């Protein structure tokens, strides 16, 4: 069975500082990993996805994530936070033969301070 | 531009009412999903469907049912709404890949309040 843990339900970063959001997963087979962003009163939007092609994945809005099999992690980073990055971020894991079902983490709310 | 639409953004219903939430996708996707989102709990899968008239229970199906009569439409039904079903409901769709897993595309959500 797969599960996802996001460390930190709330993260506060200063504008221009590094954004680091942590995600650890458990999966019995090679996983597919995703990061989504949700702005207030909106649905989820895909930031990036890992599908075994490359361990460092670049996404939209300057975000990237690195798959580390030995650490079962898929942490999301952005070198320099912008005020528009304030949102909730979700990590998700899926597996082949799962009918495309995802297991989502609990989410991390990011606040960006001037 | 891909699109998943949900029939209402905000809905207020009384306890005991039958509630229908509608979701339509225009991407010819095989898979469709219904989630509820609650603070601190992330998204939890209620039901999903991988084909017309096919449905499978997710992690929290109790108190809900679904219907998929056409490929593009997936309905969530609360047979008798209760206050603990007050939540944000999100619909998503994805394609069925021969190998691998496709991303899910989400609708804007329906915030349901049951009083």
């Amino acid at each position: 069975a797969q599960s996802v843990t996001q460390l930190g339900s709330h993260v506060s970063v200063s504008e221009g500082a590094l954004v680091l959001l942590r995600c650890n997963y458990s999966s019995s087979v090679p996983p597919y990993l995703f990061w989504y962003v949700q702005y207030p009163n909106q649905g989820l939007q895909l930031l990036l996805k890992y599908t075994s092609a490359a361990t460092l994945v670049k996404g939209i809005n300057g975000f990237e994530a690195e798959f580390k099999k030995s650490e079962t992690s898929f942490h999301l980073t952005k070198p320099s936070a912008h005020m528009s990055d304030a949102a909730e971020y979700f990590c998700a894991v899926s597996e082949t033969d799962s009918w495309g079902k995802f297991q989502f983490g609990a989410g991390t709310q990011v606040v960006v301070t001037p | 531009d891909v699109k998943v639409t949900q029939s209402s953004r905000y809905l207020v219903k009384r306890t005991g009412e039958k509630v229908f939430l509608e979701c339509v996708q225009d991407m010819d996707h095989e898979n469709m999903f219904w989630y509820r989102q609650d603070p601190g709990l992330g998204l939890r899968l209620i039901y999903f469907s991988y084909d017309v008239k096919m449905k499978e229970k997710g992690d929290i199906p109790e108190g809900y049912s679904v219907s998929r009569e056409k490929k593009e439409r997936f309905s969530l039904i609360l047979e008798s709404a209760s206050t603990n079903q007050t939540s944000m409901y999100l619909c998503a769709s994805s394609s069925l890949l021969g190998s691998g897993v496709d991303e899910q595309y989400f609708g804007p959500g329906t915030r349901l309040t049951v009083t």
Side-chain angles (χ1 to χ4, degrees):
Chain A
Q2 54 195 359
S3 66
V4 180
T5 302
Q6 289 184 241
L7 285 175
S9 58
H10 287 81
V11 169
S12 182
V13 297
S14 299
E15 191 175 18
L18 172 72
V19 180
L20 170 61
L21 304 182
R22 300 180 187 273
C23 174
N24 288 86
Y25 68 91
S26 67
S27 177
S28 56
V29 297
Y32 295 85
L33 295 157
F34 304 80
W35 275 100
Y36 280 84
V37 61
Q38 185 181 35
Y39 299 104
N41 297 315
Q42 294 187 26
L44 275 68
Q45 177 184 359
L46 183 71
L47 276 177
L48 48 82
K49 60 183 177 183
Y50 167 75
T51 57
S52 77
T55 57
L56 185 61
V57 182
K58 293 189 183 298
I60 63 171
N61 302 340
F63 284 93
E64 62 181 37
E66 186 172 8
F67 172 66
K68 291 187 176 180
K69 185 177 179 180
S70 61
E71 298 177 8
T72 61
S73 69
F74 190 56
H75 301 333
L76 180 72
T77 60
K78 181 174 180 177
S80 177
H82 191 273
M83 296 299 289
S84 61
D85 294 326
E88 190 158 22
Y89 293 79
F90 293 94
C91 182
V93 63
S94 187
E95 298 172 357
T96 309
D97 299 330
S98 67
W99 296 106
K101 289 190 298 179
F102 286 11
Q103 191 71 38
F104 282 89
T108 299
Q109 185 72 46
V110 172
V111 174
V112 183
T113 56
Chain B
D1 194 19
V2 298
K3 204 130 184 139
V4 179
T5 57
Q6 296 183 229
S7 50
S8 304
R9 293 300 305 273
Y10 300 93
L11 209 53
V12 180
K13 295 293 182 181
R14 292 185 183 270
T15 301
E17 278 193 85
K18 190 168 187 176
V19 182
F20 293 87
L21 303 182
E22 304 283 340
C23 175
V24 177
Q25 50 96 2
D26 66 357
M27 295 163 281
D28 201 36
H29 283 165
E30 292 83 4
N31 300 330
M32 296 190 74
F33 308 85
W34 274 108
Y35 296 91
R36 65 175 283 174
Q37 181 181 9
D38 300 289
L41 298 177
L43 278 71
R44 292 179 292 167
L45 183 64
I46 304 171
Y47 268 96
F48 71 101
S49 168
Y50 53 88
D51 201 354
V52 175
K53 296 191 185 296
M54 304 303 290
K55 59 187 178 185
E56 294 288 339
K57 293 179 180 180
D59 299 319
I60 52 165
E62 295 79 18
Y64 304 94
S65 62
V66 291
S67 172
R68 194 168 181 199
E69 296 296 319
K70 294 185 177 182
K71 189 176 185 179
E72 68 270 19
R73 189 179 297 270
F74 193 35
S75 302
L76 180 69
I77 303 155
L78 288 65
E79 294 289 343
S80 177
S82 64
T83 55
N84 63 12
Q85 293 178 309
T86 292
S87 187
M88 169 72 94
Y89 290 87
L90 291 165
C91 175
S93 71
S94 69
S95 61
L96 189 63
L97 301 181
S99 62
V101 175
D102 190 26
E103 68 179 273
Q104 292 186 12
Y105 296 83
F106 282 83
T110 295
R111 188 166 294 280
L112 173 67
T113 302
V114 182
T115 61

